[in-house]
Amino acid sequence: MTTDEQLFDYLLRLADSDLVLAQRLGEWVGHGPVLEEDIALTNVGLDLLGQARLWFAYAGEVEARFAGGGRGEDALAFLRDGGDFRNLLLVEQPNGDYAYTMARQFYFDTWHQLVLSRLAASSDARIAEIAAKALKEVTYHVERSTDWVIRLGDGTAESHARIQAAIDDLWMYTGEMFAADETDAALVAEGIGCDLSAVAPLWRDEVSAVLAEATLKLPGEAWMQRGGKQGVHTEHLGRMLATMQWLQRAYPGAQW
Amino acid sequence: MARPVVEAVWQALAAIPDPEIPVVSIVDLGIVRSVEWQDDELVVTVTPTYSGCPATEVIMTDIGHALDAAGCAKHRLEIQLAPAWTTDWISAGARERLADFGIAPPGAAAPVARAIDASRLYRRKVRAPVSCPNCGSARTRELSRFGSTPCKAQYRCDDCLEPFDHFKPH
């Protein structure tokens, strides 16, 4: 039996990964290597922010069912501390160079598309409709980040070395994407959540194929970090939140 | 004041331009899904385009103003996510106006596969050719997947060399 607390937790995971990655991509505003990339990256961020809002809105409604009052999207985004965030560790990693940003995006987009395609058939109608909508947007994201990984990998010696380093460095954050816990198991059992074990081999096939086309090496077996989904984060999240949340913290309730 | 008939409300809504692409109206875009009176309250159902599209809030405000001006004393806006908005809902007339405005209109949207065959994912999709809205040439190329708004991509014509926006099939 899935409890509302578990459903709330699950929705926060979806929302927080979108929100945190949108914030990271927003950091590129005005710093993109060329104007087109500046615009494209922030448009991807905008899509993710819009998706985060849809998940947060639903999460707030679910929270109201067990907490006697649900938080709005602003309160969930700007007034929670790091330990309450449920995003994947991958998306909170700093931008690094462009190869680093693209490798992070590629790992995430590929996972995101597979997960959303399953959630679009969720037995929870609200999850299904949000996922179906987001999936259309994420299809563009995947094409874009895949193209970049191939372009950088099969590019110059410099771009090849940089994207390979990024692919290797970020690899240890990919295991968590498929590590199911009790929340995942409870939601899968009722046909609400995505079965991560079914998605894992597809993700690996896809990533392997792209890296091969990009003339890059698939990283080998490695220790996989985990904890983001349970609120245990790398040191980078807190600093990012300090930037993202300062206005609402300094001026509570501030509005445009 | 007598309440306006539904057809009159549709006309009022058809006069609201998209905030970012003023040659098309919100009705042309297909985002107004239904207009109906529920007792003495007019309910307008809207399906937003992209999740993060900043124009959405402006559109909702504009609809409210238009309904006030049309004499609907009591009205409510409802957001409907499913079925998700698609560029296939853009009217034929609006497609012509987009092209005249310099934006290549979208072709047919590909159905979104619910079960994805991973072995095919990464291969670059062969996209339908996009004609240059300036000279009509089919020799065009994509410069970037995203343009001035989330719904557009940047293209360039290899014949007249003009850059242009393409409204992506979605």
Side-chain angles (χ1 to χ4, degrees):
Chain A
M1 180 64 193
T2 306
T3 63
D4 283 335
E5 282 92 337
Q6 284 172 320
L7 179 57
F8 176 68
D9 198 33
Y10 194 77
L11 293 167
L12 280 189
R13 293 174 182 188
L14 293 165
D16 286 344
S17 284
D18 284 346
L19 176 68
V20 168
L21 187 52
Q23 177 72 14
R24 282 291 185 219
L25 292 175
E27 292 171 8
W28 273 104
V29 174
H31 301 281
V34 291
L35 183 62
E36 288 80 0
E37 282 308 300
D38 203 286
I39 292 171
L41 267 190
T42 44
N43 266 307
V44 172
L46 197 60
D47 282 344
L48 294 172
L49 187 63
Q51 294 167 19
R53 294 183 62 179
L54 294 171
W55 295 126
F56 276 137
Y58 186 27
E61 290 169 30
V62 172
E63 187 183 34
R65 301 203 293 244
F66 66 85
R71 284 169 282 182
E73 52 187 274
D74 280 353
L76 288 170
F78 297 121
L79 300 178
R80 280 181 303 146
D81 288 333
D84 296 327
F85 271 73
R86 296 288 181 262
N87 59 281
L88 295 168
L89 297 174
L90 174 71
V91 296
E92 70 198 35
Q93 300 310 306
N95 288 336
D97 60 15
Y98 211 65
Y100 218 84
T101 292
M102 281 304 146
R104 184 185 64 197
Q105 197 68 33
F106 167 63
Y107 282 153
F108 179 77
D109 289 344
T110 308
W111 173 85
H112 204 196
Q113 185 181 38
L114 290 164
V115 169
L116 289 174
S117 69
R118 299 306 189 280
L119 292 181
S122 170
S123 62
D124 180 309
R126 184 80 170 269
I127 288 181
E129 67 182 25
I130 296 174
K133 180 169 176 55
L135 182 57
K136 297 180 72 157
E137 295 158 7
V138 170
T139 302
Y140 284 119
H141 304 174
V142 177
E143 286 180 24
R144 217 187 91 75
S145 52
T146 298
D147 279 352
W148 267 108
V149 167
I150 293 169
R151 188 190 291 198
L152 292 172
D154 197 15
T156 65
E158 176 74 15
S159 71
H160 179 92
R162 286 191 183 220
I163 189 77
Q164 184 69 63
I167 288 286
D168 292 345
D169 271 9
L170 292 169
W171 183 249
M172 64 178 162
Y173 300 111
T174 60
E176 182 192 31
M177 301 196 289
F178 308 102
D181 64 4
E182 285 175 15
T183 298
D184 289 302
L187 275 98
V188 168
E190 293 196 35
I192 299 172
C194 169
D195 182 357
L196 294 169
S197 64
V199 165
L202 299 175
W203 183 87
R204 199 182 165 86
D205 286 353
E206 169 65 7
V207 167
S208 305
V210 172
L211 293 183
E213 187 173 345
T215 71
L216 294 166
K217 280 209 287 284
L218 183 74
E221 291 301 312
W223 168 256
M224 289 292 179
Q225 304 287 345
R226 57 178 64 176
K229 284 159 57 165
Q230 292 79 29
V232 182
H233 293 276
T234 61
E235 68 272 29
H236 306 294
L237 180 69
R239 289 178 213 167
M240 197 207 84
L241 291 182
T243 303
M244 188 179 89
Q245 298 183 332
W246 76 267
L247 197 140
Q248 279 297 330
R249 301 283 192 174
Y251 304 96
Q255 301 216 333
W256 282 110
Chain B
M1 192 158 130
R3 69 183 202 189
V5 294
V6 165
E7 289 73 22
V9 174
W10 274 105
Q11 276 181 10
L13 296 177
I16 301 175
D18 178 274
E20 284 170 334
I21 313 171
V23 292
V24 295
S25 80
I26 60 167
V27 173
D28 285 329
L29 281 176
I31 64 175
V32 180
R33 303 313 295 161
S34 69
V35 173
E36 63 173 358
W37 284 100
Q38 290 180 4
D39 298 324
D40 62 340
E41 186 175 46
L42 185 83
V43 180
V44 175
T45 305
V46 173
T47 294
T49 56
Y50 286 71
S51 302
C53 181
T56 306
E57 287 184 28
V58 178
I59 290 172
M60 299 308 261
T61 308
D62 288 347
I63 292 176
H65 291 157
L67 296 178
D68 287 338
C72 304
K74 227 175 129 187
H75 52 75
R76 186 172 87 236
L77 292 181
E78 290 213 333
I79 299 276
Q80 177 181 305
L81 292 184
W85 177 79
T86 163
T87 47
D88 290 349
W89 294 348
I90 296 178
S91 69
R95 286 165 196 266
E96 282 176 27
R97 289 197 298 282
L98 280 173
D100 290 344
F101 192 58
I103 300 173
V112 176
R114 294 215 161 173
I116 288 177
D117 174 5
S119 65
R120 296 175 41 248
L121 267 188
Y122 75 98
R123 308 204 194 287
R124 290 184 191 72
K125 295 202 174 88
V126 179
R127 299 197 183 92
V130 174
S131 299
C132 172
N134 301 303
C135 73
S137 167
R139 293 207 315 132
T140 61
R141 73 175 73 181
E142 183 185 89
L143 297 181
S144 174
R145 295 254 66 197
F146 292 89
S148 53
T149 63
C151 55
K152 291 184 245 130
Q154 287 179 38
Y155 272 68
R156 184 175 61 209
C157 176
D158 284 342
D159 281 325
C160 73
L161 303 180
E162 285 290 324
F164 64 91
D165 269 344
H166 169 47
F167 206 122
K168 290 178 284 196
H170 184 78

